[in-house]
Amino acid sequence: MRGRRRTVAAALAEALARRPEAQSAALAAAFAEACGPRLSREVSMRGRLRDGRLLVLVSSPEWATQVTELASALCERVNARMGRAVALGLEIRIGPER
């Protein structure tokens, strides 16, 4: 792996994706990696809904707009990291500041 930069979220998502009992943790790590460091400070994935959408909590209406615009790209990245279609969309909610 020398010379190849990877985030902690990427390594964690990859390791956990292989373990059935750790799928929710792998999904959270994959989402954090898909967001990147800046967006991850404002957005958090809280779980997967029955219809396949990810429940996402954002810190403000402005970030909700940003995440809405990025929703398809974020889902594509999460699905690529997980190796299958697990993120079918996003349910975005505005929550209290973290």
Side-chain angles (χ1 to χ4, degrees), residues 59-74:
S59 61
S60 70
E62 294 79 17
W63 283 110
T65 301
Q66 275 296 351
V67 172
T68 299
E69 293 172 4
L70 295 170
S72 63
L74 292 172

Side-chain angles (χ1 to χ4, degrees), residues 26-84:
L27 185 56
F31 184 78
E33 179 190 13
C35 288
R38 174 69 178 114
L39 187 57
S40 289
R41 287 191 289 271
E42 307 296 335
V43 178
S44 65
M45 199 251 344
R46 296 302 172 111
R48 187 170 180 261
L49 302 173
R50 288 183 183 157
D51 64 2
R53 291 178 300 146
L54 303 181
L55 178 58
V56 175
L57 187 65
V58 298
S59 61
S60 70
E62 294 79 17
W63 283 110
T65 301
Q66 275 296 351
V67 172
T68 299
E69 293 172 4
L70 295 170
S72 63
L74 292 172
C75 289
E76 285 178 24
R77 291 179 196 155
V78 168
N79 292 336
R81 171 56 66 195
M82 296 297 289
R84 63 189 194 292

